[in-house]
Amino acid sequence: MVNNPDYPLTYLNIANRIFEGTKYRASDSDIKDLAKNISLLKNRGLSKLNDRFISSGRKIWDNFSEHNFASILASHINHEILISYEPEGLQRPPDFKIVIGKLTYWVQMKRLSELEARNRQDSIVREI
């Protein structure tokens, strides 16, 4: 396992544990990057996403996409911009709510296969 003073040992332990639960052989760099992302999201108020990711079990790869998306977004936008994960108050909340000034962006992550199936269905319905 990687030992890096930039990230608390707990984040490195968590990242290592996540990868151990998969068939993927993570490099030290992979573990360090995941630890960095866990720390980044915690600092941006997205502990709920970290918790869900850490406890995702067999659906880890679906949650990796959400976690990576949020990490990239959080690292590229101003710290004052609010990012919410599965915001409260909606029956079926989207994955992310991003508020920039007076604009609100709602982002829903989907598996590509789900999107392809939905597109085919939509195409059939249009033809009918």
Side-chain angles (χ1 to χ4, degrees):
M1 185 177 85
V2 182
N3 189 2
N4 185 327
D6 295 335
Y7 310 107
L9 190 56
T10 53
Y11 294 136
L12 291 169
N13 288 339
I14 291 167
N16 195 47
R17 222 174 333 129
I18 288 169
F19 280 118
E20 283 176 351
T22 70
K23 293 180 182 180
Y24 178 74
R25 291 190 175 262
S27 67
D28 285 351
S29 179
D30 292 332
I31 295 167
K32 185 177 79 173
D33 289 345
L34 180 55
K36 181 181 105 181
N37 288 345
I38 291 168
S39 176
L40 171 67
L41 294 183
K42 180 182 183 289
N43 292 334
R44 288 298 301 261
L46 293 163
S47 292
K48 181 179 177 180
L49 175 55
N50 276 336
D51 294 343
R52 173 129 183 221
F53 179 63
I54 291 165
S55 64
S56 61
R58 292 173 54 141
K59 294 190 173 194
I60 190 75
W61 298 113
D62 292 344
N63 291 316
F64 244 118
S65 296
E66 290 180 350
H67 203 265
N68 285 340
F69 173 80
S71 298
I72 292 167
L73 184 64
S75 66
H76 284 88
I77 62 174
N78 187 313
H79 283 77
E80 295 175 8
I81 294 172
L82 178 64
I83 305 169
S84 303
Y85 177 69
E86 293 185 345
E88 303 291 326
L90 301 171
Q91 186 174 5
R92 297 188 74 203
D95 292 319
F96 297 97
K97 176 183 176 185
I98 302 117
V99 179
I100 303 173
K102 294 182 181 182
L103 294 174
T104 301
Y105 297 91
W106 301 91
V107 179
Q108 181 67 46
M109 304 286 293
K110 291 285 185 189
R111 282 182 166 191
L112 184 57
S113 60
E114 288 178 35
L115 290 174
E116 289 174 336
R118 191 170 289 161
N119 285 340
R120 280 189 215 120
Q121 289 173 346
D122 290 347
S123 176
I124 292 169
V125 169
R126 278 193 302 270
E127 284 185 40
I128 293 174

